[in-house]
Amino acid sequence: MASTAALEDLRRGYRASGLHPGVRLGAALAAAAGRHPDDPVTFLSGHTEQVTVGELFADAQRLAAVLRRDGLADGEVVGIQLANGRRAWTIYLAGLIAGAVLVPIVPTAGARDAAFCLSDAGARRFFVADRWRRTDYIAGLGPVRAARSLRSITVVGGDVPSDCVAYADLERRMSGEPGRAAAGPGAGDGSADCFICYTSGSTARPKGARHTHDTFHAELIQARARWPDRQVVFTARPLGTMAGLLAVLRAMYLPAETYVMDRWDTPAALEVIRARNVTYLPTVPFMLTTVLDLLEREGSRLPSLREVSCGGSSVPPSLIERADELGIRCYRQFGSTEHPTVTSGRPGEDLRDRATTDGRLLPGASLRVIDEAGRDVGPGDEGEIVTGGPDRFAGYRSAAANEAAFTADGWLRSGDLGRLTGSGHLVVTGRVKDLIIRAGVNLAPAAIEETLARLHGVAEVAVTGVADREYGEKAAAFVVLRPGAELTMDDVREHFERSGVARQKTPEYLVVKDAMPRTGSGKIAKRQLREELETELHAGEAAPAPRREGG
């Protein structure tokens, strides 16, 4: 990792440019919310509940005051596992106002994963729902109770164990607070931690990425630079993910009318988009695919949408092209938990750039594309993407993880492969560790996925390598089909041959699924797909021939 002196030089530069304002997020959000206090935020899960930004922030300030009276210290670590809703947003904002370091945990995380994050971060308090959808969190509290640092569990809901605090009790106490000045530090040190965001853990144990008040503030400043005067936003990105957190903060920081659901429901989402004239929709490929499928079945459009962003995992060009045919100006973005938004397309760019690239650098961000020796590759050549910028995290909690994650001169290794075009657009081509090595030849899954995505009837696709005694690895394709579509291995082979793709890039296994397994952040769980197929192969239950799973 880069030296402390080098990192301090970077921070001084960001401070001088205004990208690191040097204030706590609680104070920054209070000032921003004060500029548009009447903007509405509507929560649509279960029942409709509308509040204004001013009302929501006042509630958060009251809760922050109660928590400070209960002894919450500046810098104390607080875990939160809640789905999108008014109380969840209030708790997140209150934690920032009160000076806590927050550990967001996705609602779909199991009790053992939640307990690991809490223990690893040294959390002393934990906010959790009694239940959400089909998940009973109370039944799974055993591993959480064993977290060595934990001193208090607050349950949001009616089923509260005797050894836990009822959030309803905190709400009753909030009514006696004025809801004005922030209860915790105001200006303070912007370089202090405010979030510890855990990676999805799809390839290893989750790693705690430390974000500071300044790094999150920089992300909001970058968003403001490309945000129109006012947006009408719909979001169903889960809290606990970076996209879910930013949805909360942007609603406070930027002028907008915001609609929130606690999970993605395509028909319900389209109903809201039409009824409320939504202008901006942040998505991942799965969400966008289901929107386009439904619009095509209905023969309808969404005329109010001015822009749709798509990221979080590999975005095939065909998906952006499908959206464009239906009048939706969709573009790709590149970022991660560690570095939220590095590049982004724009709705005003031409279709080719929006469909085939991941956009250009945002203000203050920087990147290089390097070879295995750490040297910059030439324009158009592929290499590993390394990044820098004011919204990049401050490092992992683990020193060993930091050693592996940074180059000697301080660039963050993204783990992604890519190339830069002559116009300065980034094209992400795959993952360094996702490479399939077949008989000594490197195959990039993203390129194979792009070809498969153009097959008629394919709604979603993932490609992984599976172990093979003769070749080392072979490519396996997992697909979800559109309603009524069928696909055989012969169809795949003929399509790749017609596309002029090298023979060794043609998948040698095909698995048709009803739905893809996903990580807590919504990405396709490729490791699970690979392990399931390898288990069947080793048992002699699968062969390089067409198969259909789940119906």
Side-chain angles (χ1 to χ4, degrees):
M1 189 173 178
S3 68
T4 302
L7 291 175
E8 187 55 41
D9 285 344
L10 285 173
R11 282 195 287 266
R12 277 196 290 268
Y14 298 143
R15 186 69 51 83
S17 67
L19 290 169
H20 277 185
V23 299
R24 297 289 183 97
L25 265 182
L29 294 175
R35 292 192 288 269
H36 53 99
D38 297 327
D39 280 1
V41 180
T42 305
F43 299 97
L44 299 162
S45 302
H47 65 281
T48 299
E49 185 176 13
Q50 185 179 94
V51 295
T52 66
V53 164
E55 290 168 340
L56 191 60
F57 208 84
D59 281 350
Q61 289 177 313
R62 292 185 184 99
L63 177 58
V66 169
L67 294 175
R68 296 287 287 185
R69 289 182 190 278
D70 283 351
L72 189 147
D74 185 32
E76 185 172 317
V77 180
V78 176
I80 306 174
Q81 187 177 26
L82 295 168
N84 260 319
R86 177 177 179 173
R87 285 172 166 173
W89 282 41
T90 299
I91 291 166
Y92 271 100
L93 292 170
L96 292 174
I97 293 167
V101 178
L102 304 182
V103 180
I105 301 173
V106 292
T108 53
R112 292 190 182 279
D113 285 338
F116 171 83
C117 295
L118 294 170
S119 292
D120 185 71
R124 297 183 66 83
R125 300 172 192 246
F126 182 42
F127 287 82
V128 65
D130 58 350
R131 57 183 46 82
W132 174 68
R133 305 288 177 177
R134 297 180 181 178
T135 303
D136 184 346
Y137 295 102
I138 301 303
L141 277 180
V144 170
R145 287 188 175 100
R148 59 184 180 274
S149 59
L150 206 58
R151 298 292 179 269
S152 170
I153 300 174
T154 299
V155 175
V156 180
D159 185 7
V160 183
S162 59
D163 62 341
C164 297
V165 177
Y167 183 73
D169 290 342
L170 300 183
E171 286 185 312
R172 281 190 285 272
R173 293 171 57 195
M174 285 163 55
S175 62
E177 297 292 340
R180 294 294 180 188
D189 181 7
S191 65
D193 287 354
C194 68
F195 282 105
I196 302 173
C197 300
Y198 280 82
T199 60
S200 62
S202 60
T203 57
R205 273 290 204 181
K207 299 191 292 287
R210 297 170 37 247
H211 271 281
T212 69
H213 295 268
D214 276 336
T215 61
F216 256 81
H217 204 161
E219 174 69 21
L220 295 174
I221 291 170
Q222 289 174 334
R224 185 174 62 196
R226 63 184 192 277
W227 196 269
D229 289 340
R230 185 177 177 79
Q231 290 270 36
V232 182
V233 183
F234 176 88
T235 179
R237 302 297 295 275
L239 277 178
T241 65
M242 181 59 68
L245 295 177
L246 289 173
V248 179
L249 302 183
R250 286 171 181 160
M252 300 297 108
Y253 196 78
L254 302 168
E257 181 179 337
T258 307
Y259 295 88
V260 186
M261 280 186 177
D262 67 349
R263 68 167 185 170
W264 179 252
D265 179 324
T266 309
L270 264 60
E271 183 178 340
V272 173
I273 291 168
R274 291 188 176 111
R276 309 295 183 172
N277 292 315
V278 169
T279 62
Y280 173 55
L281 176 66
T283 68
V284 295
F286 164 72
M287 292 179 178
L288 182 56
T289 297
T290 62
V291 167
L292 301 182
D293 287 347
L294 185 54
L295 290 178
E296 288 173 352
R297 288 199 299 272
E298 294 177 345
S300 61
R301 296 202 170 199
L302 298 172
S304 68
L305 277 181
R306 293 202 300 255
E307 59 179 297
V308 174
S309 60
C310 194
S313 59
S314 177
V315 183
S318 58
L319 189 60
I320 308 298
E321 291 164 358
R322 280 183 67 197
D324 207 69
E325 290 171 1
L326 293 170
I328 297 174
R329 305 287 288 183
C330 187
Y331 55 87
R332 291 158 48 168
Q333 293 183 316
F334 171 67
S336 63
T337 298
E338 294 86 347
H339 196 163
T341 317
V342 183
T343 65
S344 178
R346 301 288 190 279
E349 291 184 311
D350 63 46
L351 174 59
R352 178 177 175 81
D353 286 336
R354 287 187 287 110
T356 63
T357 82
D358 297 274
R360 300 188 191 192
L361 284 168
L362 296 186
S366 54
L367 68 81
R368 297 164 55 207
V369 181
I370 62 174
D371 61 19
E372 292 181 357
R375 298 171 301 214
D376 291 301
V377 302
D381 291 339
E382 185 182 74
E384 183 179 6
I385 302 165
V386 296
T387 71
D391 57 332
R392 194 183 74 180
F393 77 143
Y396 296 112
R397 285 180 53 77
S398 162
N402 285 328
E403 286 298 322
F406 290 88
T407 64
D409 51 352
W411 292 82
L412 173 65
R413 295 185 179 276
S414 70
D416 290 292
L417 295 170
R419 56 185 173 81
L420 286 168
T421 71
S423 59
H425 287 78
L426 175 69
V427 180
V428 179
T429 56
R431 292 284 296 170
V432 172
K433 293 182 180 179
D434 277 353
L435 280 177
I436 301 167
I437 305 176
R438 184 188 187 277
V441 177
N442 291 347
L443 307 178
I448 301 173
E449 289 168 352
E450 182 178 328
T451 302
L452 276 167
R454 294 185 180 278
L455 258 170
H456 177 72
V458 172
E460 198 170 13
V461 61
V463 171
T464 74
V466 293
D468 183 84
R469 273 184 280 186
E470 183 177 0
Y471 290 93
E473 286 184 301
K474 288 182 177 179
F478 302 82
V479 299
V480 175
L481 299 177
R482 298 183 202 172
E486 294 186 359
L487 185 67
T488 69
M489 198 70 215
D490 285 341
D491 295 331
V492 172
R493 293 189 186 105
E494 290 171 9
H495 173 68
F496 272 71
E497 187 174 348
R498 286 195 308 270
S499 301
V501 175
R503 186 180 227 174
Q504 65 265 30
K505 294 183 180 179
T506 304
E508 295 175 80
Y509 297 95
L510 172 66
V511 180
V512 180
K513 301 185 72 69
D514 285 345
M516 296 288 191
R518 297 186 181 277
T519 66
S521 60
K523 296 179 182 179
I524 295 174
K526 286 190 174 184
R527 185 175 68 170
Q528 180 178 333
L529 292 172
R530 181 175 64 248
E531 289 176 350
E532 288 175 354
L533 181 55
E534 286 182 341
T535 298
E536 293 185 8
L537 286 169
H538 293 156
E541 297 176 9
R547 303 194 306 116
R548 180 179 291 275
E549 281 195 4

